[in-house]
Amino acid sequence: MLAVLEPWWGGFKGADGARERALLLPRLYFQHFTDTSSLVERPDGSLAAFLVGFLSQTDQATAYLHFVGVDPALHGQGVARSLYEWFFGRASELGARRVECVTSPGNTASRAFHDRLGFTTSPVLPDYDGPGLDRVAFTRELDDSG
Ligand SMILES: CC(C)(COP(=O)(O)OP(=O)(O)OC[C@H]1O[C@@H](n2cnc3c(N)ncnc32)[C@H](O)[C@@H]1OP(=O)(O)O)[C@@H](O)C(=O)NCCC(=O)NCCS
């Protein structure tokens, strides 16, 4: 997964962005959040897409989508929507009633995608993840369709 972060994000935010993304995926996600995360592989075993998510321990009505990526060769075919719908179902089963996630304000693909999936978007939150690391936050209630 670390190997695809640069090409799949198209060099977004340069070397700093690549470092930021790599630090978002320490091994603990693949040890402690496997029931709410998913990998999609092609028949030859190469990575096609991934989603890393979990349930909040602090607020059990909230599920959090930590990271998602789809191979650019597969964009626009509903792969991320399918992964999100799977996660919505999984989060509902586990008792969550809403899903939250964040992205960089300049990630226009992510913003458009979350908008299409029915998330509401916050204003830009300056320094949300540290100095210079602004974010926008997305929220979506899990209703009967989720
Ligand atoms: C954002 C991302 C996950 C979308 O994946 P995808 O598989 O192409 O998305 P889908 O095909 O499931 O699209 C679902 C909906 O979002 C819309 N959408 C997706 N990408 C879009 C874009 N770049 N611009 C406008 N709309 C977009 C689709 O048109 C579709 O709408 P519809 O179902 O109502 O027709 C993908 O572009 C990606 O991996 N980007 C790089 C990584 C990233 O930024 N991850 C998110 C932040 S952590």
Side-chain angles (χ1 to χ4, degrees):
M1 284 172 70
L2 293 175
V4 303
L5 296 182
E6 186 60 23
W8 287 16
W9 265 251
F12 182 60
K13 292 171 69 179
D16 285 348
R19 229 178 346 266
E20 249 180 70
R21 288 188 290 280
L23 290 172
L24 287 172
L25 287 175
R27 188 176 293 269
L28 69 91
Y29 286 106
F30 309 98
Q31 294 170 320
H32 299 292
F33 298 100
T34 54
D35 292 351
T36 49
S37 301
S38 182
L39 280 183
V40 181
E41 291 177 332
R42 295 188 178 80
D44 68 2
S46 62
L47 189 62
F50 65 86
L51 177 153
V52 177
F54 53 88
L55 243 63
S56 170
Q57 286 192 199
T58 305
D59 173 6
Q60 293 181 0
T62 298
Y64 189 82
L65 268 163
H66 176 62
F67 217 29
V68 63
V70 174
D71 185 334
L74 301 172
H75 281 181
Q77 298 178 33
V79 176
R81 180 185 279 281
S82 297
L83 279 170
Y84 267 55
E85 285 171 355
W86 169 80
F87 183 76
F88 295 159
R90 190 76 192 109
S92 289
E93 273 171 22
L94 295 169
R97 297 196 300 277
R98 84 185 56 84
V99 175
E100 296 180 358
C101 47
V102 300
T103 200
S104 297
N107 191 339
T108 51
S110 176
R111 294 181 70 155
F113 168 76
H114 286 91
D115 188 50
R116 292 301 298 160
L117 269 281
F119 285 81
T120 55
T121 307
S122 76
V124 174
L125 306 168
D127 300 333
Y128 182 86
D129 271 335
L133 301 177
D134 301 352
R135 300 287 182 255
V136 289
F138 303 117
T139 309
R140 184 191 190 278
E141 299 301 315
L142 291 173
D143 52 25
D144 293 341
S145 63

